[in-house]
Amino acid sequence: MTSTASSTDTRQGQATADQRPTWQQRLRRFGYAAPERSDVRDRLMPPYSEPSPRISAALGLRGEVAGRITRWSAWGGPLLVTLMAGLMRFWNLGSPRAVIFDETYYAKDAWALVHNGYESNWAKNANDLILQHNGHVAIPTDAAYVVHPPVGKYVIGLGELLFGFDPFGWRFMTALLGTLSVLLLCRIGRRLFRSTFLGCLAGALMAVDGLQFVMSRTSLLDGVLEFFVLAAFGCLLVDRDRARAKLAAALPADADGRVRPDVYAAETTRLGWRPWRWAAGVLLGLAIGTKWNGLYILAAFCVMAVLWDVGARRVAGARRPYATVLKRDTGITFLATVPVALVVYVTSWIGWILSPADGSGGYFRNWAATDGKGGTWTFLPDWLRSLWHYEHEVYLFHVGLSSPHTYQSNPWSWIVAGRPVSYFYESPAPGQSGCPSDAGEKCAREVLAIGTPMLWWAACFAILYVLWRWAFRRDWRAGAIACGIAAGYLPWFLYQERTIFYFYAVVFVPFLCLAVAMMIGALLGPPGSDERRRVVGAAGAGVLVLLIAWNFIYFWPIYTGTAIPIDQWRSRMWLDTWV
């Protein structure tokens, strides 16, 4: 193909204002007008926003100093937010000195797993013995039937190996991953919005979310799952930018130096092996190896990645973007995610696989040699058939779980924090366990897993905003945020009769924070807004952020198990369903 032919194809592939695609004509009825962009490079790789010169002038900063601060803030800002989050999460981490809520399963399972390679049955009084003897107790060898994969318990067990079999030890890794999740979200938000400020805002919002905070200070699996899901999303986001940069580099420039769409380059450019997409596959495998609902997130993220490729090829000039992606990109997308995730998942069972198959190893480890003898699948290794049987039994357990629980909730109530979960509660007398001696009556000491109400209620409006941006403004950022929320939230509506809990929602908390940050960015106003618009927007956004921060501080005692007079505890029970 000659350069002249390529130029002709490019001009023919561009629609004029009177020849807009049908979807654009429909959106114009809702007030939408596609922005005019002259350079495809800017559409493929939008530049990061720069602080307004008025800010530097107001602070008395010279251009060179202001530029240095801007470059420093790309990492400095996220690290400062992360430092704040880490100090809060690690403060008095060993309190309450008790086995709270489902720590009774995962803390002990983790300790047995890192020593035996499989989970064990503990005595009924094991919790008391562990606390009395600072974790110096014998580890039982009798295999236990557990219904969650091992990755999250290995993570918890690593903290126990480092710091001991006590509350601090079994909460250390969840606190660390909860803190690192804040750093990840700051950087992800920065890349998503092309704004360091909005990225740090999203991270700061998650730093003061009560549910994420409590889950970071408790050795449950869902906080570990949240970390792997968020890290996988970040890897896919980096992969998106790098793939679009390769497409932009392959496009020709015109006589004026502006990059234009080119059919040939858009449909033939190969994007390579895409290592960040393979990294996402590994992380999604770890997510599934933590809890099975990671499967839904794997499926959703794969679809999202394919649509991102379609959008990139279309912007670059491909006439048949779906066919091009099917030919050039889908194979890598599949190989880097589904098979990789499967291999990682199976590998995570290595302790169970290597345990003895004579009945003294992991639960069901000897099934193929006993109850599973015969059949049409005997050509497979015994460990694989036994593992498949184990997985089948676990599946039947999960779909059939319907035993009532005091703190179970319907997913319809999650988004408004309708039914939180009390992890720990006691009523110390005045002068005991931190209860003021002049309290007059017993205090309340509780760890309540509930999101910061102001943040979650603002997120209800933010979700509507991102859906509107996605549907009527074709904003891919809003679509990505909506995908993260939907992948972590909507599957639970398929199991409304099952015993499920509000704290499962922690997996999509980062995407709620991104949605709120995006809404606050809209409140601040678009670039080029006049001073009055900026002042009004900044005032509204500032009030919202301050309310969320105040709300977190107000609920701090019931996030951390701090003893407070019973009247103060009652004043924090805003809804009857919180008790």
Side-chain angles (χ1 to χ4, degrees):
M1 179 180 290
T2 64
S3 58
T4 303
S6 175
S7 176
T8 303
D9 290 343
T10 299
R11 289 195 298 271
Q12 290 174 349
Q14 292 178 324
T16 65
D18 297 328
Q19 298 174 330
R20 295 184 184 277
T22 305
W23 67 267
Q24 284 188 329
Q25 292 176 354
R26 290 198 299 269
L27 289 180
R28 289 180 68 188
R29 294 201 297 269
F30 296 94
Y32 173 74
E36 296 295 333
R37 293 189 177 97
S38 58
D39 197 320
V40 175
R41 183 186 291 110
D42 289 340
R43 295 183 62 190
L44 287 170
M45 289 294 296
Y48 285 85
S49 61
E50 297 288 340
S52 171
R54 290 180 293 181
I55 297 177
S56 301
L59 297 175
L61 300 175
R62 294 175 301 173
E64 181 180 347
V65 175
R68 189 179 299 117
I69 291 176
T70 299
R71 292 191 297 272
W72 170 86
S73 66
W75 273 103
L79 288 173
L80 286 175
V81 174
T82 305
L83 176 62
M84 176 191 72
L87 290 174
M88 293 190 299
R89 280 152 179 76
F90 280 97
W91 175 84
N92 205 17
L93 182 61
S95 177
R97 182 173 170 72
V99 181
I100 64 175
F101 200 62
D102 280 355
E103 285 185 344
T104 190
Y105 303 116
Y106 305 125
K108 291 180 294 188
D109 285 348
W111 189 244
L113 190 63
V114 296
H115 286 87
N116 295 341
Y118 58 89
E119 298 86 347
S120 302
N121 273 319
W122 292 79
K124 291 184 178 180
N125 65 339
N127 292 346
D128 294 333
L129 293 175
I130 291 167
L131 295 173
Q132 290 172 9
H133 300 283
N134 294 317
H136 298 293
V137 294
I139 304 172
T141 57
D142 182 30
Y145 175 62
V146 296
V147 295
H148 289 300
V151 170
K153 287 166 281 188
Y154 275 121
V155 170
I156 294 170
L158 177 59
E160 294 172 335
L161 289 175
L162 291 173
F163 298 100
F165 190 29
D166 58 24
F168 182 87
W170 62 62
R171 295 170 191 160
F172 175 82
M173 287 303 298
T174 52
L176 178 62
L177 295 188
T179 302
L180 292 178
S181 294
V182 173
L183 177 61
L184 283 175
L185 190 61
C186 288
R187 292 290 297 177
I188 286 170
R190 180 179 184 271
R191 185 176 291 272
L192 189 70
F193 300 128
R194 290 301 195 262
S195 166
T196 300
F197 170 75
L198 289 181
C200 289
L201 176 61
L205 290 174
M206 191 165 77
V208 297
D209 175 63
L211 181 61
Q212 206 273 350
F213 176 78
V214 170
M215 295 300 290
S216 297
R217 293 169 55 87
T218 314
S219 63
L220 270 65
L221 302 180
D222 301 83
V224 180
L225 174 64
E226 175 210 46
F227 173 81
F228 289 136
V229 169
L230 184 60
F233 180 82
C235 287
L236 290 175
L237 202 59
V238 174
D239 171 76
R240 179 185 186 275
D241 277 357
R242 296 202 171 189
R244 293 169 79 92
K246 287 184 179 180
L247 278 176
L251 295 175
D254 61 16
D256 297 326
R258 291 178 297 184
V259 174
R260 297 292 190 181
D262 183 82
V263 175
Y264 179 78
E267 294 186 350
T268 61
T269 299
R270 296 184 180 275
L271 301 178
W273 282 96
R274 308 177 74 163
W276 285 98
R277 189 160 286 190
W278 290 80
V282 171
L283 288 163
L284 288 169
L286 293 172
I288 299 168
T290 302
K291 290 192 79 171
W292 274 8
N293 50 311
L295 283 166
Y296 293 105
I297 295 163
L298 169 68
F301 281 8
C302 284
V303 172
M304 180 180 69
V306 169
L307 292 178
W308 282 355
D309 287 342
V310 169
R313 298 281 185 178
R314 179 187 289 118
V315 170
R319 290 177 174 173
R320 299 179 299 168
Y322 284 95
T324 302
V325 167
L326 182 63
K327 179 181 179 181
R328 301 287 184 191
D329 306 318
T330 305
I332 289 295
T333 299
F334 176 80
L335 287 176
T337 50
V338 177
V340 169
L342 178 61
V343 169
V344 170
Y345 177 82
V346 174
T347 304
S348 72
W349 286 87
I350 191 66
W352 181 91
I353 293 169
L354 296 179
S355 68
D358 59 2
S360 63
Y363 202 87
F364 279 138
R365 179 62 183 86
N366 64 334
W367 177 85
T370 54
D371 297 341
K373 281 185 176 180
T376 57
W377 299 97
T378 53
F379 64 92
L380 294 174
D382 281 358
W383 67 264
L384 183 58
R385 293 196 298 124
S386 295
L387 181 59
W388 179 262
H389 176 72
Y390 195 167
E391 302 284 44
H392 179 259
E393 292 298 312
V394 169
Y395 171 77
L396 295 179
F397 169 86
H398 281 304
V399 298
L401 181 62
S402 59
S403 55
H405 192 284
T406 304
Y407 291 105
Q408 71 183 67
S409 60
N410 190 284
W412 287 105
S413 68
W414 293 359
I415 203 66
V416 293
R419 182 56 173 165
V421 182
S422 181
Y423 286 174
F424 172 82
Y425 185 89
E426 66 177 16
S427 301
Q432 298 180 3
S433 300
C435 182
S437 56
D438 59 352
E441 56 182 331
K442 287 186 176 182
C443 290
R445 189 176 178 221
E446 182 174 32
V447 175
L448 186 68
I450 182 174
T452 303
M454 291 295 183
L455 174 60
W456 282 67
W457 296 341
C460 295
F461 296 97
I463 290 173
L464 296 176
Y465 172 70
V466 297
L467 289 175
W468 173 76
R469 287 287 307 183
W470 178 49
F472 298 127
R473 290 294 187 263
R474 313 305 293 176
D475 192 327
W476 73 271
R477 303 169 302 173
I481 295 170
C483 177
I485 295 172
Y489 186 27
L490 295 185
W492 293 110
F493 287 92
L494 301 174
Y495 306 100
Q496 295 185 59
E497 301 302 320
R498 184 185 181 276
T499 306
I500 52 180
F501 300 91
Y502 164 67
F503 64 82
Y504 296 171
V506 73
V507 71
F508 61 85
V509 164
F511 301 97
L512 291 182
C513 294
L514 287 171
V516 174
M518 189 173 185
M519 182 178 70
I520 290 175
L523 288 176
L524 291 172
S529 299
D530 58 46
E531 188 172 349
R532 181 178 179 181
R533 171 67 179 83
R534 286 290 194 184
V535 169
V536 173
V543 167
L544 177 57
V545 172
L546 288 175
L547 280 174
I548 292 171
W550 163 82
N551 202 198
F552 176 76
I553 295 170
Y554 181 69
F555 280 93
W556 174 271
I558 62 173
Y559 292 145
T560 58
T562 302
I564 54 177
I566 193 67
D567 287 341
Q568 293 186 24
W569 176 83
R570 291 193 186 104
S571 70
R572 287 165 172 80
M573 297 297 106
W574 288 358
L575 301 178
D576 292 341
T577 55
W578 292 3
V579 179

